[in-house]
Amino acid sequence: MSAHRPKFTARWLAAGGAAVLAGIIGVAMMLTNGGSACAAPPSTTTKTGKATFYDLAGTSGNCSFEVPADDLYVALGPSQYSEGASCGAYLDVTGPKGKVRVKVFDSCPECPAGHLDLSRTAFKKIGDEIDGIIPIKYKLVTNPSTPAPISVRIKEGASQYWFAARIDNHANLLSSVKVASGGGAFKTAHRTDYNYWLIDAGAGPGPYKIKITDVYGNTATLTGIRMSPGTVQKTGVRIAGGSTTVTSKTTAPTVKATTSPAASPAAKKPAAATPPPSVPASAEVDPLLESAVAEPEPTQPLVDLAAAPSSC
């Protein structure tokens, strides 16, 4: 791969039909083998690999995040991107010139496991740009600091009848998101490969309470979230603290108007259309994936971004 390659159209296709097809194949393999994923948090052991770099060219990544202010991000191959389950996590990457911390921001369809495609800015911090490809060591960061508290973005086209929200600045990998409208009961959302959490039948008119849980069992409850599509609603909540449950509530959220980040074809569906269903966690069989359940309900697969294939 050229370090100066353009942003491939395939990167966007990967968040649509290709991911759905992969999920169908995964289901078939699971039924055939009768296996199940491991129920453990992702490993933070250091692994070796290689790094290249790319430029966004005015677009955004498959995780649907705004570009980080420090321009430090990474795209992962299909097995490690895991249909969006790794979005928002942080990796420490060490190269010939030093170490950099990057946010999982995008997918790289042509990258095998261990091949990290960094932003040009991140690459230059740990290697010489002229080299194009460099050897690296990398590991998943536990409880990393984030540039801001948790924020919520309600997707364009969402309504009381179809709920879709992106959660940012959650630090660790998320295992579940639940949403309640007003004084109603919580409903479990499912994650898409473009990193929005959906409730296909809707969650009501709001305002919403959103309870998020990470892979270590930390929880946070965001309150006062409005049905305001296309805006980023900031909170005062951070979620971290090892395996201790940390439950917090927001103050009144502030709303920042944003333009919609470039997204996958699935993310660009008109309001009336129903996005393709997300593949359930039980369908995952890739040895790089691990699954943990922080609560009784089924959750999304958790990605072991830095460990060798599981033996269980």
Side-chain angles (χ1 to χ4, degrees):
M1 175 192 303
S2 169
H4 304 280
R5 62 173 172 78
K7 190 172 182 65
F8 282 81
T9 302
R11 180 165 294 179
W12 302 112
L13 294 178
V20 175
L21 177 59
I24 294 172
I25 294 172
V27 172
M29 291 177 65
M30 177 64 76
L31 293 175
T32 300
N33 298 331
S36 61
C38 302
S43 170
T44 56
T45 58
T46 299
K47 301 301 293 183
T48 59
K50 64 180 180 180
T52 51
F53 66 87
Y54 76 107
D55 296 308
L56 283 172
T59 62
S60 184
N62 280 152
C63 291
S64 301
F65 293 131
E66 287 78 30
V67 179
D70 58 13
D71 201 43
L72 302 178
Y73 55 85
V74 62
L76 300 178
S79 63
Q80 293 182 303
Y81 180 76
S82 189
E83 299 179 0
S86 60
C87 288
Y90 286 84
L91 301 180
D92 279 344
V93 185
T94 303
K97 293 174 60 176
K99 183 169 69 175
V100 66
R101 180 165 295 182
V102 291
K103 181 178 183 177
V104 178
F105 176 84
D106 203 357
S107 68
C108 176
E110 64 272 32
C111 294
H115 179 170
L116 277 53
D117 208 12
L118 301 170
S119 66
R120 185 186 295 264
T121 301
F123 186 95
K124 290 167 67 174
K125 286 183 176 293
I126 63 171
D128 292 324
E129 183 176 343
I130 194 170
D131 290 337
I133 303 175
I134 57 174
I136 59 168
K137 294 183 179 180
Y138 66 99
K139 66 177 181 178
L140 179 67
V141 183
T142 302
N143 294 329
S145 60
T146 56
I150 296 168
S151 67
V152 178
R153 186 181 192 276
I154 303 296
K155 195 179 185 327
E156 294 85 352
S159 70
Q160 64 178 311
Y161 307 109
W162 181 69
F163 183 88
R166 182 207 69 194
I167 314 296
D168 197 3
N169 292 321
H170 47 78
N172 296 312
L173 291 157
L174 290 183
S175 62
S176 72
V177 170
K178 296 182 178 182
V179 183
S181 178
F186 278 98
K187 297 182 178 181
T188 301
H190 65 89
R191 179 169 32 204
T192 66
D193 51 12
Y194 52 94
N195 195 36
Y196 271 80
W197 293 84
L198 305 188
I199 300 176
D200 295 313
Y208 304 105
K209 291 185 293 185
I210 301 179
K211 181 180 180 181
I212 66 175
T213 304
D214 71 18
V215 298
Y216 305 107
N218 301 314
T219 65
T221 300
L222 318 174
T223 62
I225 303 300
R226 303 193 298 273
M227 176 49 71
S228 182
T231 64
V232 173
Q233 301 183 52
K234 297 180 179 180
T235 78
V237 176
R238 295 178 187 268
I239 179 172
S243 60
T244 302
T245 298
V246 181
T247 303
S248 306
K249 292 187 177 181
T250 63
T251 54
T254 58
V255 180
K256 176 183 176 183
T258 63
T259 56
S260 174
S264 63
K268 295 181 179 178
K269 286 184 178 291
T274 300
S278 177
V279 179
S282 61
E284 298 297 336
V285 295
D286 192 289
L288 291 173
L289 307 183
E290 294 183 345
S291 181
V293 179
E295 301 188 20
E297 292 80 356
T299 60
Q300 293 292 315
L302 309 181
V303 186
D304 189 346
L305 292 170
S310 172
S311 62
C312 55

